[in-house]
């Protein structure tokens, strides 16, 4: 079973939408890998440089309603091909969240105060996810552990490696 | 305890219950377009699973970039076209017959009350206007839908949205839904179904109901839904006349899907729209909405009329009323993309296309085009568009561009005025 975690990319804003994650003009690509250089291209945050700041990251920590807008799974794939397989947020848009689990990736919801605490840890933070215990451990300016809850079906999808593998066996 | 329409549809389609919160539903219609489907097709081929669960229940259209604008979009169209042929999918719509999916498929009678519908497109919620459960999904859900005819959903709760009063002159379904999104915010309905009811909805055409349901996703909703009634039956009559003796019988049958009087709702809200003025978005989120009077005088560069929200015949008729005998302002370029060939042809028969052209509009073929900044009217940085579409995200219609969402009548008035204006002054 694959492990989840790594250095953290903090995106301190709510309502980051799919067009910001991957603009529609790149939806003409027919391979996931081709999306790689365009990650978060249209996201405007103070001091944020998408290519520089996503390099080497494995986890995104952000605020509420992450991934709102379009149904494009490209918004999940562009993280996947950049080796980011966990997004931790206060809440997600439904389709984005489902797309994450459908790809065997983790969309973890935490209360606002936990997100605040994570965001205060600073730029060099790393996060390790323990899927069995349903905890994340963050190491940055200090160390903290947060408990999360995963819907059992979502967990099954992650363990199966995604919805296609799950559904092909079962239906 | 009674049930909502969505609970009834879920019950009738439940294939599996993989957890307390999740169900797997049998899907009646899987719809496909050339942006989100080719990667699913390629993946199925690579896995040696290049087959479909039922070609009759798969509907396919090339609509987002059509005619293809470059090699990449031509390749996407070709992948979809070749697959539709290979899989014997009869309902495939290519150039000459294609139109914006959420306008075209209802026109073809593919959506019926009580159906479950998925598509790799967030505005699939439009089809809830027919009393269906219709949800946008990603490519993996689409791929499983194509292969197995199933899709998983969390059990959605329902927000009952009752719309009362009567719409004033120059105020339309678009203004109503913008006002509702403003109040709910962009994630106020996440994981919820928005059930639209009340006298204003009862009095709306199917076109207007589709506009209403189309933008449910902009409040985060899984689906928008209207209860199927006589308006629904009359719209669908050409396609269901073999199933019922007469329209009355269809209307009675449709009632089996109606939410029960004692159904449980997550929340209930009432909007009295009697004094609602025309609405417009001002920012980069669809809940950033103001009365258009507050934005009057905002200069624009482009007007875009079309899309799955407002490219239907009723929209064109309403806009043409403003444009008749008038010219667009010198600082504006204006684009009309009728949503389907039928809308286009009907607009020609009714003399609407001539009104648009005489006013100075460029009339293009049906396509999603500029709505998502892929072709057909992309903005340059710093440009402003008065648009009848559904999303105003930063960069949506072109990097650095600004989109103000509004009704077709407000967009037509802006075209003539060269700036945002209260359209009621021009009616």
């Amino acid at each position: 079973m694959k492990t989840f975690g790594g250095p953290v990319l903090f995106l301190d804003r709510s309502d980051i939408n799919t067009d910001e994650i991957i603009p529609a003009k790149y939806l003409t690509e027919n391979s996931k890998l081709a999306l790689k250089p365009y990650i978060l291209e249209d996201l405007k945050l103070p001091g944020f440089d998408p290519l520089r700041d996503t390099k080497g990251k494995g986890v995104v920590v952000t605020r509420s309603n992450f991934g709102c807008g379009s149904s494009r799974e490209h918004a999940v794939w562009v993280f996947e091909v950049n080796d980011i397989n966990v997004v931790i947020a206060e809440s997600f848009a439904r389709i984005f969240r489902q797309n994450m689990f459908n790809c065997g990736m983790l969309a973890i919801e935490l209360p606002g105060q936990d997100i605040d605490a994570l965001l205060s840890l600073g730029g060099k933070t790393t996060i390790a996810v323990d899927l069995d215990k349903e905890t994340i451990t963050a190491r940055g300016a200090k160390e903290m552990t947060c408990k999360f809850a995963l819907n059992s079906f979502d967990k099954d999808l992650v363990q199966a490696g995604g919805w296609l593998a799950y559904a092909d066996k079962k239906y | 305890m009674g049930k909502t329409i969505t609970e009834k549809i879920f019950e009738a389609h439940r294939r599996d219950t993989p957890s307390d919160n999740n169900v797997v539903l049998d899907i009646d219609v899987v719809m496909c377009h050339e942006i989100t489907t080719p990667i699913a097709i390629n993946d199925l081929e690579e896995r040696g699973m290049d087959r479909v669960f039922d070609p009759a229940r798969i509907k396919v259209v090339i609509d987002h970039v059509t005619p293809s604008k470059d090699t990449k979009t031509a390749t996407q169209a070709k992948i979809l076209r070749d697959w539709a042929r290979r899989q014997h999918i009869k309902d495939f719509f290519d150039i000459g017959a294609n139109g914006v999916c959420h306008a075209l498929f209802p026109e073809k009678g593919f959506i019926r009350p009580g159906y479950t519908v998925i598509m790799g497109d967030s505005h699939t919620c439009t089809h809830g206007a027919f009393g269906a459960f219709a949800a946008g999904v990603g490519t993996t859900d689409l791929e499983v839908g194509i292969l197995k005819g199933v899709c998983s959903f969390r059990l959605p709760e329902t927000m009952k949205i009752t719309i009362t009063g009567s719409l004033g002159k120059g105020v339309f379904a678009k203004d109503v839904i913008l006002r509702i999104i403003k109040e709910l915010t962009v994630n106020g309905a996440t994981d919820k179904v928005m059930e639209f009811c009340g006298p204003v909805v009862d009095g709306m055409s199917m076109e207007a109901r589709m506009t209403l349901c189309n933008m449910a996703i902009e409040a985060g909703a899984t689906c928008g839904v209207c209860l199927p009634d006589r308006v629904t039956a009359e719209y669908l009559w050409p396609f269901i006349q073999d199933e019922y003796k007469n329209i009355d019988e269809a209307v009675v049958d449709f009632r089996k899907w109606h939410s029960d009087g004692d159904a449980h709702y997550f929340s209930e809200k009432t909007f009295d729209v009697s004094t609602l003025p025309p609405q417009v978005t001002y920012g980069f989120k669809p809940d950033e909405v103001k009365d258009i009077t507050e934005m009057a005088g905002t200069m624009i560069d482009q007007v875009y009329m079309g899309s799955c929200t407002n490219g239907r015949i009723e929209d064109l008729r309403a806009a043409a009323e403003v444009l008749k005998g008038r010219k667009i302002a010198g600082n504006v370029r204006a684009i009309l993309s009728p949503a389907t060939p039928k809308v286009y042809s009907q607009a020609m028969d009714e003399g609407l296309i001539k009104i648009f052209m005489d006013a100075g509009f460029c009339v293009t073929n049906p396509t999603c085009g500029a709505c998502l900044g892929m072709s057909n009217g992309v903005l340059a940085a710093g440009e402003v568009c008065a648009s009848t579409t559904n999303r105003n995200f930063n960069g949506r219609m072109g990097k650095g561009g600004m989109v103000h969402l509004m009704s077709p009548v407000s967009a037509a008035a802006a075209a003539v005025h060269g700036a945002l204006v209260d359209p009621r002054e021009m009616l």
Side-chain angles (χ1 to χ4, degrees), chain B residues 166-286:
Chain B
S166 60
L167 291 171
K169 198 174 181 187
V171 184
F172 301 88
K174 181 65 160 284
D175 302 297
V176 174
I177 189 64
L178 286 173
R179 184 68 186 75
I180 291 171
I181 295 165
K182 177 185 184 177
E183 176 134 343
L184 297 182
T185 77
V186 287
N187 61 346
T190 301
D191 283 316
K192 308 286 184 290
V193 169
M194 289 165 77
E195 184 177 315
F196 298 106
C197 52
V200 173
V201 183
D202 294 343
M204 279 182 178
S205 65
M206 285 314 300
E207 283 85 350
R209 292 178 191 182
M210 283 190 259
T211 301
L212 208 56
C213 291
N214 175 268
M215 290 191 72
I217 180 71
E218 308 310 332
T222 305
C223 183
V225 69
C226 299
L227 303 180
D229 59 5
R230 182 167 296 275
V231 177
T232 322
E234 282 173 357
Y235 184 101
L236 288 175
W237 187 243
F239 310 103
I240 60 173
Q241 51 188 337
D242 295 339
E243 295 164 40
Y244 298 102
K245 279 203 291 285
N246 51 45
I247 288 185
D248 290 336
E249 199 184 78
V251 173
V252 171
D253 184 48
F254 287 177
R255 282 191 201 132
K256 70 183 177 221
W257 297 110
H258 283 207
S259 299
D260 297 325
D262 58 344
H264 169 76
Y265 289 97
F266 170 78
S267 65
E268 300 189 37
K269 276 188 197 304
T270 299
F271 290 84
D272 185 335
V273 294
S274 298
T275 58
L276 182 75
Q279 301 288 294
V280 63
T281 61
Y282 62 89
F284 291 128
K285 296 196 296 170

Side-chain angles (χ1 to χ4, degrees), chain A residues 4-25:
Chain A
F4 293 93
V8 178
L9 169 65
F10 291 106
L11 301 175
D12 187 3
R13 209 198 79 197
S14 290
D15 304 319
I16 291 176
N17 66 57
T18 50
D19 287 60
E20 291 170 311
I21 298 169
I22 181 82
K25 63 183 174 191

Side-chain angles (χ1 to χ4, degrees), chain A residues 35-95:
Chain A
L35 303 172
K36 193 171 176 179
Y38 311 122
I39 183 167
L40 296 165
E41 184 178 283
D42 276 357
L43 181 64
K44 305 280 180 271
L45 289 177
F48 176 64
D49 177 334
L51 286 183
R52 182 196 67 201
D53 297 342
T54 55
K55 204 167 179 199
K57 299 297 193 310
V59 178
V60 167
V61 172
T62 184
R63 293 201 181 268
S64 63
N65 198 31
F66 187 77
C68 61
S70 151
S71 65
R72 64 189 68 157
E73 203 160 301
H74 306 67
V76 168
W77 299 330
V78 77
F79 287 123
E80 188 181 18
V81 297
N82 279 284
D83 299 319
I84 294 170
N85 59 11
V86 184
V87 180
I88 300 170
E90 197 175 332
S91 63
F92 292 93
R94 178 191 67 88
I95 304 174

